[in-house]
């Protein structure tokens, strides 16, 4: 049993649930490692034909645990988050996300690697890297302008403007906005539809749709080096301390 991650499996669909609601499902190193292993095994297991990602307690995920940013050793090749992102980018099994509540940082960037995304009206998407004195990750610097255009990418990654579910639907980050009570049910139903399709053709079609995986992984590593350098900066450290102390302040 991995703290912070739940797994369930039914009818060829693996459901991975971020389950740390008291910390808004912020992702720890242990959670990333468990997610990476789950994705790796899913690709090796013929019985797993689709994956659903979602978060418990009305938040998708508040992104990387800020405490881990502070504690990091600085060797980016050791970042559990990097292994997760890479595994997600090379994953052959189709992935459907059910987003209820906040999807922050990697909570939004991981969606760029999902095939279908369903969001509740309470969903909120933001990539606040710049405000933390950080840089984009998960190949967002490549995929966000490619998918939404440079003007929108500048709003999302330079201004770090949050977008709500309707805007995310309008720009094509999410497939549909559905009631909160239905979001997991609908995502799961779509995962079952994907799981019922011919497996080999599904994997091949996904690869064709996603483009050159090598280019995406190269960008992930390039961003990670820059991210590592940014993490060490005084302005980033100040931003982390400010976030963690804000509730205590008053
Ligand atoms: N890392 C570590 N702890 C986090 C966290 C994160 N990414 N996100 C939330 N938490 C913790 C808070 O510190 C708080 O802990 P506490 O109860 O011990 O004080 C708890 O989770 C609840 O969060 P809180 O901020 O009080 O809830 P909220 O409802 O007011 O706001 C969010 C929810 C998700 C909007 C807000 O927590 C947030 O913006 N988090 C994102 C942090 C971030 O910038 N992540 C991106 C990293 S690239």
């Amino acid at each position: 049993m991995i703290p912070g991650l739940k797994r369930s499996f039914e009818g060829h669909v693996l459901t991975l649930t971020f389950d740390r609601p008291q910390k808004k499902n912020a992702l720890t190193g242990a959670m990333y490692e468990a997610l990476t292993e789950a994705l790796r095994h899913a690709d090796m297991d013929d019985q797993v034909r689709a994956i659903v990602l979602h978060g418990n307690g009305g938040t998708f995920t508040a992104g990387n645990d800020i405490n881990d940013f502070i504690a990091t050793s600085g060797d980016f090749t050791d970042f559990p988050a990097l292994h997760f992102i890479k595994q997600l980018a090379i994953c052959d099994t189709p992935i459907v996300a059910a987003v209820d509540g906040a999807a922050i940082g990697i909570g939004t960037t991981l969606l760029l690697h999902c095939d279908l995304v369903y969001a509740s009206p309470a969903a909120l998407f933001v990539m606040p890297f710049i405000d933390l004195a950080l840089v984009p990750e998960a190949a967002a610097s490549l995929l966000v302008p490619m998918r939404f255009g440079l003007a929108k990418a500048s709003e999302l990654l330079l201004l770090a403007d949050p977008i709500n579910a309707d805007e995310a639907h309008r720009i094509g980050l999410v497939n549909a906005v559905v009631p909160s009570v239905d979001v997991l049910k609908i995502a799961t139903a779509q995962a079952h539809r994907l799981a019922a399709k011919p497996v080999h053709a599904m994997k091949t079609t996904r690869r064709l749709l996603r483009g050159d995986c090598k280019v995406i992984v190269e960008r992930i590593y390039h961003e990670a080096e820059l991210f590592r350098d940014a993490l060490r900066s005084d302005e980033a450290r100040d931003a982390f301390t400010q976030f963690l102390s804000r509730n205590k302040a008053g």
Side-chain angles (χ1 to χ4, degrees):
M1 164 92 171
I2 309 297
L5 187 73
K6 277 191 182 156
R7 278 181 273 203
S8 64
F9 184 63
E10 200 198 326
H12 300 299
V13 174
L14 172 69
T15 300
L16 298 173
T17 304
F18 310 131
D19 188 33
R20 203 182 165 219
Q22 72 284 9
K23 294 289 180 187
K24 305 291 173 186
N25 299 329
L27 297 167
T28 60
M31 289 164 76
Y32 283 125
E33 279 165 14
L35 284 161
T36 307
E37 272 316 293
L39 295 180
R40 191 177 289 136
H41 277 111
D43 269 354
M44 292 186 309
D45 184 346
D46 292 347
Q47 293 304 306
V48 182
R49 297 188 191 154
I51 296 168
V52 173
L53 289 178
H54 86 117
N56 257 351
T59 306
F60 185 60
T61 165
N64 203 99
D65 191 300
I66 302 266
N67 294 290
D68 286 3
F69 279 158
I70 292 171
T72 183
S73 71
D75 178 359
F76 81 93
T77 55
D78 284 341
F79 287 178
L82 179 61
H83 299 154
F84 166 62
I85 288 163
K86 185 187 159 209
Q87 197 63 42
L88 191 64
I90 64 171
C91 186
D92 265 346
T93 310
I95 304 175
V96 183
V99 182
D100 188 23
I104 302 192
I106 198 168
T108 290
T109 60
L110 75 79
L111 300 174
L112 302 167
H113 302 274
C114 294
D115 302 288
L116 297 168
V117 180
Y118 296 91
S120 79
L124 190 75
F125 306 84
V126 58
M127 294 177 280
F129 307 109
I130 195 93
D131 292 331
L132 294 167
L134 298 174
V135 296
E137 36 83 317
S141 63
L142 177 72
L143 299 174
V144 172
M146 193 189 283
R147 284 194 45 189
F148 314 124
L150 187 55
K152 194 69 194 173
S154 300
E155 289 177 9
L156 296 172
L157 288 167
L158 298 181
L159 292 173
D161 281 347
I163 54 171
N164 64 20
D166 286 338
E167 177 69 352
H169 183 222
R170 192 190 68 75
I171 67 171
L173 176 63
V174 311
N175 292 80
V177 183
V178 299
S180 286
V181 288
D182 294 333
V183 66
L184 179 59
K185 197 169 66 187
I186 288 170
T188 304
Q190 296 296 65
H192 281 285
R193 288 185 62 204
L194 294 173
K197 307 273 184 198
V199 176
H200 184 69
M202 171 62 66
K203 292 184 173 179
T204 307
T205 305
R206 281 190 80 236
R207 265 185 236 127
L208 289 167
L209 286 176
R210 304 211 143 260
D212 192 342
C213 184
K214 197 165 151 269
V215 173
I216 294 172
V217 171
E218 273 170 13
R219 181 63 68 103
I220 287 171
Y221 274 87
H222 182 48
E223 288 173 345
E225 284 183 61
L226 301 169
F227 199 97
R228 183 255 338 257
D229 294 343
L231 269 181
R232 293 173 173 160
S233 71
D234 289 342
E235 46 184 1
R237 304 240 145 208
D238 288 349
F240 305 152
T241 310
Q242 205 177 329
F243 173 78
L244 292 172
S245 57
R246 77 195 171 126
N247 290 347
K248 280 92 200 164

